[in-house]
Amino acid sequence: MDGDHGSWYFSVQVRGLDGQRQRVRQGGYADPEEAQEAGRALAAADRDGAGAGCTLGQWLARWLATKDALRPSTRQG
């Protein structure tokens, strides 16, 4: 791993809870493959309509993926 590189990010466009398109950028991944996999999973959930008819757990996972600045205690809760 390159010692100068901190972490990897992904950026995808998904439908927000209001139905409008929005960009989601999430970071903190150790390598580019991990970031790409997380981005693809979020994009797939968007294509599958995860915002409508999803479980609370699925919705919360998607919501957390859109939040960059959460305190660790909020994320843990």
Side-chain angles (χ1 to χ4, degrees), residues 1 3-5 9 11 13-14 17 27 31 33-34 37 39-40 42 45 48-49 53 56 60 63-65 77:
M1 179 174 179
D4 293 345
H5 199 282
Y9 284 76
S11 179
Q13 282 195 0
V14 296
L17 297 176
D31 56 61
E33 291 81 17
E34 186 181 355
E37 182 179 324
R40 286 185 189 125
L42 187 59
D48 295 340
L56 178 59
L60 287 172
W63 180 83
L64 278 172

Side-chain angles (χ1 to χ4, degrees), residues 17-28:
L17 297 176
D18 61 359
Q20 299 293 317
R21 301 296 293 173
Q22 65 184 38
R23 183 178 75 139
V24 175
R25 185 173 187 264
Q26 181 69 37

Side-chain angles (χ1 to χ4, degrees), residues 26-75:
Q26 181 69 37
Y29 297 97
D31 56 61
E33 291 81 17
E34 186 181 355
Q36 286 179 342
E37 182 179 324
R40 286 185 189 125
L42 187 59
D46 183 57
R47 280 191 305 276
D48 295 340
C54 64
T55 67
L56 178 59
Q58 291 167 330
W59 185 88
L60 287 172
R62 182 175 177 195
W63 180 83
L64 278 172
T66 66
K67 302 300 175 192
D68 290 332
L70 289 177
R71 291 183 182 152
S73 59
T74 301
R75 191 169 295 280

